[in-house]
Amino acid sequence: MTTGGFDPNQGQQPFGGQQYGQPHYNGAGQQQYGQQFGAPPQFDSAQQFDSAQFGTQPIAQPDFGFNPSRPGELLPRLGARVIDGLIVGIPTAVVTIVISLVLGTFLGSALGAILTAAAAVGYFVFLETTRGQTVGKQVLGLRVEGPNGGLPTQQQSLTRNGFYVLAALGGFPFLGFLFGLVGFVAAIVIAVTINGSPTKQGKHDVLAGGTRVVQG
């Protein structure tokens, strides 16, 4: 109902709309208004951000100079063999002396040589196939890998360490000199082939199917 033809609600809009002559802004207008006075712009939630848009680069991973494919050199490998030889040789030498005192020199020497050969091969095969490292190799930062990487098999480890049997049997009575000489020649051949190989694989590695010793 109107009074004198005047409607008091005429020209008014509900709250939240356009009221009392205030301008109405749509979403684009509000964004432009905010940008004009330094307010942060509004972004569409679906807008994608990538590092290239803002000129950033991916964070480089730290390089500690570790190269697992670097082959083990001759001298560290020789040092590892010396350490391992002492670990195996000292206890077996003590046992051999005790056996010799009990059973006599001949029998003690024979049993001691067999024991030393078995202990040496068992030591290398067990540690190489379960850990990839003997104690000597661990001390000097070396490890043994199979032809395709990973741990070598028992057969591969037995083949590459078989020359230890010849060296250990050097203490065998009568034939010990012959065994020792063959073992010494085998060690020389292995050292020469390691030094001359670009991958530092010795003859024993080749016979084992391509095992290798690497740094790391």
Side-chain angles (χ1 to χ4, degrees), residues 4-30:
F6 174 74
D7 185 356
N9 294 325
Q10 184 177 0
Q12 297 182 5
Q13 298 293 333
F15 290 102
Q18 186 176 4
Q19 297 182 10
Y20 305 107
Q22 294 180 355
H24 175 70
Y25 296 97
N26 57 20
Q30 292 176 355

Side-chain angles (χ1 to χ4, degrees), residues 4 19 39 41 43 118 130 142 173 184 190 210:
Q19 297 182 10
F43 295 95
T130 57
L142 302 171
F184 177 76
I190 289 173

Side-chain angles (χ1 to χ4, degrees), residues 155-178:
Q155 182 61 45
Q156 292 165 351
S157 181
L158 181 62
T159 301
R160 73 185 305 275
N161 292 292
F163 71 97
Y164 267 108
V165 174
L166 298 173
L169 291 178
F172 204 86
F174 301 118
L175 297 177
F177 174 76
L178 181 59

Side-chain angles (χ1 to χ4, degrees), residues 121-214:
V121 173
Y123 170 84
F124 282 97
V125 172
F126 175 75
L127 291 181
E128 287 183 358
T129 57
T130 57
R131 300 175 63 247
Q133 292 175 309
T134 60
V135 175
K137 286 184 173 62
Q138 184 177 6
V139 169
L140 295 178
L142 302 171
R143 74 171 185 272
V144 182
E145 291 184 347
N148 299 318
L151 297 174
T153 64
Q154 290 185 354
Q155 182 61 45
Q156 292 165 351
S157 181
L158 181 62
T159 301
R160 73 185 305 275
N161 292 292
F163 71 97
Y164 267 108
V165 174
L166 298 173
L169 291 178
F172 204 86
F174 301 118
L175 297 177
F177 174 76
L178 181 59
F179 284 126
L181 179 60
V182 175
F184 177 76
V185 172
I188 295 298
V189 171
I190 289 173
V192 171
T193 51
I194 289 175
N195 192 56
S197 170
T199 57
K200 303 304 177 184
Q201 291 174 292
K203 188 64 176 178
H204 62 322
D205 290 313
V206 175
L207 293 175
T211 57
R212 57 185 180 268
V213 176
V214 298

